[in-house]
Amino acid sequence: MQTISVYSAQAAQAGLKEQKIVEGSLVNVRIVSSSGEGKYIGIVAGVRVNLKSDSVLQNGDVFKAKISIKNNTIFLKPLQNNNSIENNYKIQLDNFPLKLVENEEILSFFSRLSLPADNTMITVFQMMKQLKMKFDIPLFMKIHNMSVKFGKQQKSAAEILMILQKKGIEISNDFLLDFIEFLNGDNFFNENEKYFGNKNEWKKNKEENQKRIVNSMNRRKGGWFIFPFCILENLYNKEIVDLRKENSEYFTKNNFEDNNIRNEKRIGEGNIRVLVNDSDRIEILNLSCFFNNARNFASLLYENGFIKELRVNFEKKLEKKEEVILYLQSKFNKLYSKGKIKNQIEVQWTDEDDLTGFSSDNEKFYSINKII
């Protein structure tokens, strides 16, 4: 399902919600005037646009229509007598000025709203779109002001705070610090020591804090879910086991009920992050794994419940990334040709920075008649 969100500085300052043009949803349409040859000027979702219809419309006509979005072109399917039955004609937004908005334009938009014009606010804005949250300036300022305290990890802090806000979870700076370290690895503290002081004092209760945050997130429906894991080596038979019990205690494969882990060595760890929409369908699945002294990342992007794209980055395969992509692409192509999967999956090698965190960079903004 495609969604186009329309934001205007004037509406935001007046406390109005953003206008969302969502595929399959209903909008009110008003015909303002005719331009001749089947072309009209109308108001759709509060935006003045040019329309082109294969059926005659009259000035002043007001009706409901269902939205259809194809290849960044919006079509309106008018309903008979404003009920659920579609008419057999459609209206196209003629020469629809749908334009990808660059970051500079978004920063200018923030300035008009007297918001901080920086990359941290862009992350907040992207997470708002991803999580389908309301346009809330006081909330944006709160999240931004908390995030900027985290130095190089401002982006991670902004993503996490927006996710927790969506789930109704309030968090202190100490808890947020523990959680960022949990997601990003132990080198986080070394980069941010000047912000947070004594490392030993900070680490005292970090594991307990991390578990409490993960459990709180996973108990609440919708949005992001996080599933930590570790990779253990059995020192007796060298079997690799991949187990994490709910209470975060580790157990051997041969003696699952025994709480004795002396025969195991942890050789890797990571987490799986899953974004679930309001229809309980997966939209994104991100994997971060630290194994064999290397960082490995993968991200699956879904559309209508099916995987459409795989993005990867393997630290020890940088020299052979083209070979890795060709290998993975051939495997998916073979599955598709045999009917094992329903759609073709594109494989891409992606920068590490774009695969860590919660995929806020995937969110793009479009302008309609210069309205973001």
Side-chain angles (χ1 to χ4, degrees):
M1 175 182 294
Q2 296 191 54
T3 303
I4 298 173
S5 296
V6 184
Y7 306 94
S8 71
Q10 293 83 0
Q13 289 169 330
L16 302 177
K17 296 181 180 179
E18 72 277 15
Q19 298 294 318
K20 289 189 176 181
I21 301 176
V22 184
E23 184 173 7
S25 67
L26 300 181
V27 292
N28 291 319
V29 181
R30 179 165 63 88
I31 304 302
V32 176
S33 63
S34 172
S35 304
E37 298 181 351
K39 297 183 178 181
Y40 303 86
I41 296 174
I43 305 294
V44 178
V47 179
R48 189 182 182 94
V49 294
N50 296 322
L51 303 172
K52 183 166 62 178
S53 174
D54 52 14
S55 181
V56 177
L57 302 174
Q58 301 296 327
N59 295 351
D61 280 354
V62 177
F63 53 87
K64 288 186 180 295
K66 181 178 287 189
I67 291 291
S68 174
I69 306 173
K70 293 182 180 179
N71 299 324
N72 285 343
T73 299
I74 295 180
F75 296 92
L76 307 174
K77 297 181 179 179
L79 305 182
Q80 295 180 15
N81 299 321
N82 288 335
N83 60 25
S84 60
I85 303 174
E86 297 179 18
N87 281 306
N88 58 0
Y89 68 92
K90 63 185 178 182
I91 302 172
Q92 177 183 338
L93 272 70
D94 190 31
N95 297 320
F96 186 62
L98 185 62
K99 175 180 174 291
L100 181 66
V101 177
E102 302 296 336
N103 283 355
E104 291 76 11
E105 296 174 83
I106 297 177
L107 294 176
S108 175
F109 174 74
F110 292 156
S111 295
R112 295 198 300 275
L113 293 175
S114 299
L115 290 171
D118 56 26
N119 289 333
T120 299
M121 186 58 77
I122 288 179
T123 298
V124 172
F125 204 53
Q126 289 170 324
M127 290 301 292
M128 172 208 68
K129 181 174 181 289
Q130 181 195 87
L131 298 171
K132 300 177 177 61
M133 297 173 67
K134 294 180 179 179
F135 196 103
D136 187 334
I137 290 179
L139 174 63
F140 293 172
M141 287 300 302
K142 172 186 173 183
I143 299 297
H144 177 276
N145 292 341
M146 290 183 68
S147 301
V148 294
K149 299 176 182 178
F150 287 80
K152 294 180 180 180
Q153 298 295 334
Q154 292 182 45
K155 178 181 177 181
S156 294
E159 288 182 330
I160 294 168
L161 286 168
M162 289 294 283
I163 290 168
L164 295 176
Q165 188 70 39
K166 170 73 173 180
K167 289 178 176 273
I169 301 172
E170 295 291 336
I171 188 173
S172 67
N173 280 355
D174 291 339
F175 271 60
L176 180 58
L177 174 63
D178 293 342
F179 199 54
I180 294 176
E181 190 272 344
F182 162 69
L183 294 174
N184 292 278
D186 199 52
N187 63 344
F188 163 75
F189 182 88
N190 296 329
E191 295 176 353
N192 294 273
E193 186 171 3
K194 66 179 181 179
Y195 295 96
F196 301 109
N198 186 276
K199 180 175 182 178
N200 293 329
E201 181 67 25
W202 163 59
K203 281 181 171 285
K204 278 185 179 179
N205 299 313
K206 72 165 187 174
E207 289 188 3
E208 187 63 31
N209 292 345
Q210 291 165 356
K211 286 189 289 184
R212 288 175 63 183
I213 297 170
V214 170
N215 290 338
S216 295
M217 287 181 62
N218 291 349
R219 279 198 296 263
R220 289 167 167 81
K221 183 178 179 180
W224 284 93
F225 297 85
I226 299 179
F227 304 98
F229 65 86
C230 73
I231 303 173
L232 303 176
E233 182 181 36
N234 187 305
L235 299 181
Y236 282 163
N237 57 21
K238 300 299 183 183
E239 286 187 70
I240 301 298
V241 294
D242 183 1
L243 303 168
R244 169 166 269 191
K245 208 167 175 62
E246 185 178 354
N247 61 3
S248 297
E249 294 173 339
Y250 303 99
F251 296 81
T252 65
K253 188 173 182 180
N254 294 333
N255 191 10
F256 190 79
E257 298 300 329
D258 186 0
N259 190 16
N260 186 341
I261 63 172
R262 289 176 298 176
N263 300 328
E264 292 178 346
K265 175 185 176 182
R266 183 187 299 195
I267 59 174
E269 62 184 356
N271 59 78
I272 297 171
R273 314 174 198 188
V274 182
L275 176 62
V276 178
N277 62 24
D278 294 336
S279 301
D280 293 329
R281 281 185 167 180
I282 295 177
E283 291 190 352
I284 303 172
L285 187 152
N286 289 345
L287 169 68
S288 300
C289 181
F290 305 91
F291 176 70
N292 198 19
N293 296 318
R295 297 160 62 88
N296 304 285
F297 303 95
S299 180
L300 292 172
L301 306 183
Y302 289 73
E303 188 173 83
N304 298 323
F306 298 100
I307 300 171
K308 70 171 184 177
E309 189 176 327
L310 169 63
R311 301 176 179 179
V312 297
N313 185 296
F314 307 122
E315 187 173 356
K316 290 194 173 182
K317 297 291 185 180
L318 288 173
E319 302 297 327
K320 299 181 178 180
K321 59 183 179 182
E322 292 183 2
E323 295 178 30
V324 171
I325 296 302
L326 289 173
Y327 173 79
L328 292 173
Q329 191 69 69
S330 67
K331 290 294 184 182
F332 282 120
N333 290 344
K334 187 176 293 185
L335 289 172
Y336 177 74
S337 64
K338 291 182 177 180
K340 301 293 185 181
I341 55 178
K342 293 189 175 183
N343 58 301
Q344 289 185 308
I345 298 172
E346 181 182 359
V347 182
Q348 292 186 6
W349 188 276
T350 306
D351 290 342
E352 178 182 322
D353 290 343
D354 294 331
L355 294 178
T356 57
F358 295 90
S359 301
S360 59
D361 290 334
N362 290 346
E363 301 301 325
K364 307 299 181 185
F365 295 91
Y366 298 88
S367 63
I368 302 175
N369 289 344
K370 298 184 179 181
I371 299 175
I372 296 178

